[in-house]
Amino acid sequence: MYSETGVVLENPLELHRFTIRVQDINDNAPKFKEESLKFEIQESAVKGAQFAVGEAHDEDIGENTVQGYTLQQNDHFKLNVKTNSGGRKYCELVLDKELDREVNNEISLVLTAFDGGSPQRSGTVVIHVTVLDANDNAPVFSQTVYKASLPENSPPDTLVITVTATDADEGIHSEITYEFDHVSSKDVFCIDSKTGEVRVTGNLDFEKMSSYEMQISAKDGLGLASYAGLLIDILDVNDNAPVIYLQSLTNQIPENVPPGTEVGIINVQDRDSGNNRQVRCSLQTGVPFKLVASIKNYYSLVSTEQLDRELVSDYNITITATDEGSPPLSSSKTVHLTVADINDNPPVFEEQSYSAHVTENNKPGSTLCSVAARDPDWRQNGTVVYSLLPAEVNGAQCPPIDNGSPPFSSNVTVNVFISDVNDNSPQILYPSPEGNSFMTELVPKAAHAGSLVSKVIAVDADSGQNAWLSYHIVKSTDAGLFTIGLHSGEIRTQRDISESDSMKQNLIVAVKDNGQPPLSATCSMFY
């Protein structure tokens, strides 16, 4: 290095110019501009790819400046040192072995620049290489086949299973989307495209489909995909009650059939499986029938007692079928049986005997009384026809006959009582109605009060109150002299007879019965 300067001398004053040559010594080390260098290189970069690093600077000159570079030993890069037009050394990184981000995503290298001084000086810089991802890995499922099971009554949104896949790439290259490859399963299940959660979306029914087999795909952001199988077994739940079917039934059962007669066959089915479809049948209590097990799931309905239509004419028999699920389910079916009638009962009168009360003088054809007989049999077996037997002393026989085959009959006695009607007036026997109706009686002049003078005697052909007679003085010569017994008809003096009383007394006596309306008769008496 050269430097020109001047010197001024005094006494005498002189000016001298001279050149100074400064000789360099190696007192500076090479130095890079940055403390570290950062590179981002795609893992898909091909072998031989070059990446400019630049150069280091050394303030020394000549041999003391940068003479070369060295690179830390590594598996992927080598160093290419070049000289520019100014004679300065610079370098490039050359990819010697392909990168794999999934194996090593960051590489640190130490680059050293050295000069030619003595002693030699050097400077370093750290090169940080970040390996950028390329979509060179497909997603990988954690299992080749996933298996799950769930009850058929699982409600919508039930979590079935979570499938997982991983992608060794990063960023969008590792963003996995899950989906079903079979459309048929989408009606029942769905898969979360982000989380891989498989959930129930529809109604499961073991009896329709007991298992599902499907394929799930996992795709990354640029379309690389892998596949896994999913097997879902549906577990039976006791959600079907047994169903009772009537295979045959005798609706009309004659009441004289013997015990043990088969009147119907039933079949029981349950759509569940295992214990859930094991069924037992029972009948309600209090009916003369039982169930007898036949071949599998078949039962015979058999009578156990002698039937009697007149006691019970119809049976509503409830059959209950219960499975052995937990909890058990059951169903019931009511069977209607009608007991057919047999003519096994005679007619029976409602009364043990009948009495008819009629009034005399009734017209021919008048109703005397009604008799009724009941036959507990049905229709023609219980239809009663009446007939009258010849009259007897104590009454009339009225035997009813039913229309059965053979017919049954019974008898009852009807006693007819004739009631009196007030159709007869009293008949006066004394004084005698024959001849002269005037009767003269002699009364002693000295008769005292209460003396019996005479007696009117009358009868009435009616009976009861119609023949109950009363006697009355209708007219007399002296109203206060005589009195008559209301019911005896005895005529007596009410007071002593005196000389002043008339020698002739005339009485008119009326006799009345107690009918409605009353009838009467009169007679006249003279004293």
Side-chain angles (χ1 to χ4, degrees):
M1 181 176 180
Y2 296 91
S3 176
E4 290 187 356
T5 185
V7 175
V8 178
L9 298 178
E10 293 181 355
N11 292 319
L13 180 63
E14 293 179 355
L15 176 64
H16 299 274
R17 179 176 295 177
F18 61 89
T19 300
I20 300 175
R21 183 171 180 256
V22 180
Q23 187 175 1
D24 181 51
I25 63 171
N26 192 26
D27 57 352
N28 291 283
K31 186 177 182 180
F32 289 91
K33 289 183 178 180
E34 295 89 3
E35 293 182 358
S36 64
L37 299 175
K38 295 181 179 180
F39 290 90
E40 292 183 347
I41 303 175
Q42 291 279 346
E43 65 174 329
S44 59
V46 297
K47 182 178 179 180
Q50 298 176 350
F51 305 93
V53 176
E55 61 179 309
H57 297 276
D58 194 324
E59 293 183 358
D60 295 323
I61 61 174
E63 290 295 324
N64 294 333
T65 191
V66 177
Q67 297 299 310
Y69 299 88
T70 60
L71 183 66
Q72 175 186 348
Q73 184 66 36
N74 68 91
D75 294 333
H76 294 280
F77 294 95
K78 66 181 181 179
L79 195 62
N80 188 13
V81 179
K82 295 182 178 182
T83 303
N84 62 18
S85 58
R88 294 191 304 274
K89 304 287 187 180
Y90 68 97
C91 59
E92 295 175 336
L93 286 177
V94 179
L95 184 62
D96 191 47
K97 182 181 178 181
E98 292 177 344
L99 301 172
D100 188 345
R101 189 202 65 83
E102 289 70 44
V103 175
N104 195 356
N105 62 352
E106 287 190 356
I107 301 173
S108 292
L109 304 172
V110 177
L111 177 64
T112 302
F114 58 87
D115 60 21
S118 181
Q120 188 180 58
R121 293 181 181 271
S122 64
T124 60
V125 67
V126 177
I127 300 174
H128 294 283
V129 178
T130 300
V131 182
L132 299 180
D133 185 51
N135 193 32
D136 56 350
N137 292 280
V140 178
F141 278 101
S142 62
Q143 296 175 221
T144 304
V145 177
Y146 293 87
K147 294 181 179 181
S149 61
L150 72 161
E152 62 176 322
N153 63 347
S154 299
D157 204 39
T158 298
L159 177 64
V160 180
I161 195 172
T162 300
V163 299
T164 57
T166 56
D167 193 313
D169 297 321
E170 67 176 2
I172 190 173
H173 301 150
S174 64
E175 292 179 1
I176 298 176
T177 301
Y178 302 93
E179 63 180 20
F180 288 135
D181 282 355
H182 297 297
V183 177
S184 59
S185 303
K186 295 182 179 178
D187 296 335
V188 184
F189 301 100
C190 70
I191 186 168
D192 190 296
S193 62
K194 298 300 182 184
T195 65
E197 292 180 344
V198 178
R199 293 183 179 271
V200 177
T201 57
N203 294 322
L204 302 176
D205 191 342
F206 172 86
E207 288 70 41
K208 292 182 179 179
M209 184 73 75
S210 60
S211 66
Y212 292 86
E213 182 175 356
M214 60 198 79
Q215 184 170 276
I216 301 174
S217 66
K219 297 180 181 179
D220 63 21
L222 293 181
L224 291 182
S226 62
Y227 302 88
L230 174 59
L231 298 177
I232 301 175
D233 289 326
I234 307 302
L235 304 179
D236 183 47
V237 173
N238 192 29
D239 58 348
N240 290 281
V243 180
I244 301 171
Y245 298 95
L246 287 177
Q247 298 298 109
S248 65
L249 183 68
T250 304
N251 290 321
Q252 293 280 339
I253 308 172
E255 60 181 323
N256 61 348
V257 297
T261 300
E262 184 180 79
V263 298
I265 298 175
I266 66 168
N267 174 249
V268 182
Q269 298 291 335
D270 194 309
R271 297 178 61 222
D272 294 317
S273 64
N275 286 340
N276 295 335
R277 71 178 302 170
Q278 300 301 316
V279 179
R280 61 183 184 274
C281 288
S282 62
L283 283 185
Q284 68 186 86
T285 58
V287 293
F289 298 93
K290 67 178 180 179
L291 286 175
V292 178
S294 182
I295 61 175
K296 185 177 181 181
N297 297 329
Y298 282 86
Y299 296 83
S300 295
L301 183 61
V302 177
S303 64
T304 58
E305 300 175 11
Q306 185 66 54
L307 304 178
D308 188 344
R309 192 206 67 84
E310 287 70 50
L311 293 178
V312 181
S313 61
D314 295 90
Y315 291 94
N316 287 318
I317 303 172
T318 300
I319 303 171
T320 301
T322 305
D323 63 29
E324 294 186 3
S326 180
L329 297 179
S330 63
S331 62
S332 298
K333 193 175 191 67
T334 300
V335 177
H336 181 77
L337 297 178
T338 300
V339 181
D341 185 54
I342 300 297
N343 191 33
D344 56 352
N345 292 281
V348 177
F349 280 99
E350 292 180 348
E351 305 289 342
Q352 293 182 351
S353 64
Y354 289 86
S355 296
H357 295 269
V358 297
T359 59
E360 60 177 331
N361 303 326
N362 58 349
K363 296 179 181 180
S366 300
T367 300
L368 300 181
C369 70
S370 294
V371 298
R374 298 287 183 268
D375 190 319
D377 292 323
W378 179 246
R379 293 188 175 174
Q380 70 175 26
N381 294 334
T383 301
V384 178
V385 178
Y386 300 89
S387 63
L388 192 63
L389 295 180
E392 297 181 357
V393 175
N394 293 327
Q397 295 293 327
C398 190
I401 301 174
D402 62 26
N403 280 335
S405 179
F408 285 96
S409 65
S410 61
N411 298 333
V412 74
T413 298
V414 180
N415 295 306
V416 180
F417 297 93
I418 302 173
S419 300
D420 181 53
V421 173
N422 191 30
D423 57 350
N424 292 281
S425 298
Q427 181 181 357
I428 298 175
L429 302 179
Y430 183 87
S432 174
E434 297 180 0
N436 191 353
S437 62
F438 297 101
M439 186 69 181
T440 302
E441 295 283 348
L442 296 177
V443 180
K445 196 72 172 171
H448 296 290
S451 298
L452 178 63
V453 176
S454 183
K455 182 176 182 179
V456 177
I457 300 174
V459 296
D460 196 309
D462 294 320
S463 62
Q465 69 176 12
N466 293 332
W468 186 20
L469 302 180
S470 60
Y471 299 86
H472 308 272
I473 296 176
V474 178
K475 185 178 181 182
S476 65
T477 303
D478 189 342
L481 185 55
F482 298 100
T483 184
I484 190 168
L486 180 62
H487 298 295
S488 65
E490 292 179 345
I491 299 175
R492 294 179 181 274
T493 57
Q494 288 193 93
R495 57 178 173 80
D496 295 341
I497 297 176
S498 64
E499 292 293 335
S500 61
D501 290 324
S502 172
M503 294 298 291
K504 293 183 179 182
Q505 295 287 331
N506 182 19
L507 295 178
I508 299 176
V509 177
V511 182
K512 294 182 179 179
D513 62 24
N514 201 35
Q516 291 295 330
L519 300 178
S520 64
T522 60
C523 65
S524 298
M525 302 182 69
F526 294 92
Y527 298 94

